[in-house]
Amino acid sequence: MENGNSSGDNKSSRKPIRCKAAVSRKAGEPLVMEEIMVAPPQPYEVRIRIICTALCHSDVTFWKLQVPPACFPRILGHEAIGVVESVGENVKEVVEGDTVLPTFMPDCGDCVDCKSHKSNLCSKFPFKVSPWMPRYENSSRFTDLNGQTLFHFLNVSSFSEYTVLDVANIVKIDSSIPPSRACLLSCGVSTGVGAAWETAKVEQGSTVVIFGLGSIGLAVAEGARLCGASRIIGVDINPAKFQVGQNFGITEFVNSMTCEKKRVSEVINEMTGGGADYCFECVGSSSLVQEAYACCRQGWGKTITLGVDKPGSQICLDSFDVLHHGKILLGSLFGGLKAKTHIPLLLKRYLSNELELDKFVTHEMKFEEINDAFQLLLEGKCIRAWRGCLRDVKAGATSMEKWLTVVGYP
């Protein structure tokens, strides 16, 4: 249900909109489909109509989390595509009707970090898992029909028909690109491809090892393939992932459950004759970070960590190894990409048939079945068991029918 009027009526677009959302009210319990109120945008903010969204593992992590920074009730979702419904004051880079990708990583374009090519970490709006709008602490744009505040998630909250974002968290894109493909670059695929392309800068002919073949790991494989890596070794506990991974460039597979008495790093070092050029940890496990570091090559090997571990987890490295072996350990948020610069470049590579996004999408479900999509993730039945998409099937319809697309393997 939508009670918002056309964005062409500026006065009407300044009114709250009543719409449907999937609300997480208690940790680990099914999301509740209900009607909510979405306030109009404040200065430097935009209100968008979500036309496509995805279920990411981070959504599931915070859905299950019972300690801070978890908070409830909350509207999850952070990988999406939408159309600008209205804009607040001082918004100049988009207008009503523009197609945009929301991103959890801000890109203000003004601070010293955003102006530098060395980092994608905005110092004006440092990344944090806040329940509020970035510029306005203790301020939400969501309430339920009883007036209770609903918290934001990762600056996006896309499990709602409408949401409000800071202008630093949106990227204008070509509206002709299929929404179910473009939305994949809002988080997961950009994170994996970017980690190989921008953070590690994988070189042609190099050897790459990827720990964890979920969608992030497979996106890393896709990025390594685009960069020209000659060997891409996948490590996972599920042997079915190898068949899937071959579609993304995986050339060899190691089942970490069948290494007998050897550590995975020992097996990799034997396979590669001394270690891989690049190792990527895509699970979110400090012990796997250590294994990845142990099997990247001395002198120039790089280990990139992308997985989100539990708060407070520690990585323990031997100081002798760090000093004497000349390896590099890097963290990579959003693949090291600057959203407003790099997402358009990735979309161009998709349109030129270089970046293959189609293979990330395999299932479609109704939006109302979003809890079933969570279950697919928990059961490990998806490539990245956290992927989904809401898409309009009646273009221009007043009351839009929406569907949920889950990205997984057959």
Side-chain angles (χ1 to χ4, degrees):
M1 175 181 290
E2 304 167 14
N3 286 348
N5 294 318
S6 168
S7 61
D9 182 347
N10 190 54
K11 292 183 179 178
S12 297
S13 65
R14 296 297 182 180
K15 296 179 180 180
I17 287 179
R18 180 170 169 168
C19 69
K20 185 185 295 184
V23 181
S24 179
R25 289 199 166 270
K26 291 184 179 180
E29 295 192 2
L31 306 188
V32 180
M33 299 298 299
E34 59 185 88
E35 291 178 11
I36 67 166
M37 301 301 296
V38 182
Q42 297 300 305
Y44 300 100
E45 294 178 352
V46 299
R47 184 165 59 187
I48 70 172
R49 175 174 59 88
I50 297 293
I51 57 175
C52 195
T53 190
L55 175 60
C56 170
H57 193 274
S58 297
D59 299 311
V60 176
T61 297
F62 282 88
W63 167 66
K64 295 192 299 182
L65 195 63
Q66 299 184 30
V67 297
C71 57
F72 301 92
R74 193 172 216 166
I75 298 177
L76 299 169
H78 64 283
E79 186 170 69
I81 183 174
V83 174
V84 176
E85 177 270 339
S86 58
V87 300
E89 296 177 6
N90 304 318
V91 174
K92 303 184 186 306
E93 63 184 82
V94 295
V95 297
E96 297 166 14
D98 282 344
T99 301
V100 295
L101 285 184
T103 62
F104 73 90
M105 284 292 288
D107 185 357
C108 75
D110 296 327
C111 70
V112 62
D113 295 272
C114 286
K115 289 181 177 179
S116 170
H117 69 277
K118 298 179 181 179
S119 170
N120 71 332
L121 303 178
C122 178
S123 54
K124 186 174 183 179
F125 302 111
F127 173 75
K128 56 184 177 180
V129 185
S130 169
W132 310 114
M133 295 299 296
R135 293 177 197 258
Y136 305 95
E137 282 296 321
N138 304 316
S139 180
S140 171
R141 302 292 171 263
F142 302 120
T143 54
D144 65 15
L145 297 189
N146 294 318
Q148 181 184 15
T149 296
L150 303 174
F151 297 116
H152 289 255
F153 180 62
L154 291 181
N155 303 319
V156 178
S157 292
S158 60
F159 292 169
S160 171
E161 291 182 314
Y162 286 85
T163 188
V164 178
L165 301 100
D166 193 278
V167 71
N169 293 95
I170 59 169
V171 180
K172 180 180 176 180
I173 68 166
D174 184 347
S175 61
S176 67
I177 299 172
S180 62
R181 302 307 186 257
C183 84
L184 302 178
L185 295 178
S186 178
C187 177
V189 174
S190 288
T191 295
V193 171
W197 169 41
E198 182 64 20
T199 302
K201 294 179 170 55
V202 169
E203 296 178 337
Q204 189 167 357
S206 59
T207 298
V208 170
V209 176
I210 303 168
F211 288 79
L213 297 181
S215 242
I216 291 290
L218 293 176
V220 171
E222 178 73 1
R225 180 189 68 80
L226 288 172
C227 291
S230 60
R231 296 180 71 185
I232 305 176
I233 303 169
V235 181
D236 204 285
I237 62 175
N238 183 355
K241 295 290 184 71
F242 182 40
Q243 182 178 355
V244 178
Q246 288 177 308
N247 296 326
F248 295 81
I250 300 291
T251 59
E252 298 154 79
F253 181 76
V254 174
N255 186 337
S256 57
M257 300 294 288
T258 60
C259 292
E260 298 179 349
K261 296 182 180 180
K262 293 182 179 180
R263 292 171 54 187
V264 175
S265 56
E266 294 180 82
V267 174
I268 297 296
N269 282 328
E270 290 175 2
M271 290 175 64
T272 57
D277 301 303
Y278 308 94
C279 293
F280 297 85
E281 195 283 327
C282 305
V283 176
S285 167
S286 57
S287 62
L288 281 184
V289 174
Q290 292 161 206
E291 283 296 289
Y293 187 80
C295 62
C296 72
R297 192 170 189 86
Q298 67 174 13
W300 66 73
K302 292 182 181 180
T303 296
I304 316 298
T305 177
L306 293 85
V308 180
D309 207 343
K310 296 178 182 178
S313 298
Q314 301 286 319
I315 297 174
C316 299
L317 298 174
D318 187 288
S319 61
F320 182 92
D321 191 19
V322 172
L323 176 63
H324 290 85
H325 292 166
K327 303 177 182 181
I328 297 172
L329 174 62
L330 292 169
S332 181
L333 267 178
F334 197 57
L337 303 183
K338 291 182 181 292
K340 297 180 191 290
T341 299
H342 292 119
I343 286 179
L345 296 179
L346 290 177
L347 286 170
K348 286 183 179 179
R349 300 194 76 171
Y350 166 67
L351 293 174
S352 64
N353 297 317
E354 297 175 62
L355 175 60
E356 299 174 3
L357 296 178
D358 295 0
K359 58 193 176 187
F360 284 92
V361 181
T362 59
H363 297 81
E364 288 192 355
M365 303 167 66
K366 292 181 179 180
F367 182 37
E368 288 75 11
E369 296 174 332
I370 189 170
N371 289 304
D372 295 333
F374 270 70
Q375 194 59 37
L376 282 174
L377 185 154
L378 294 172
E379 293 174 356
K381 294 182 178 179
C382 299
I383 285 177
R384 181 183 179 195
W386 35 251
R387 183 78 72 197
C389 170
L390 291 172
R391 64 178 176 85
D392 295 341
V393 294
K394 295 180 180 178
T398 302
S399 179
M400 292 175 296
E401 184 177 357
K402 295 178 183 284
W403 297 79
L404 180 69
T405 300
V406 179
V407 175
Y409 60 82

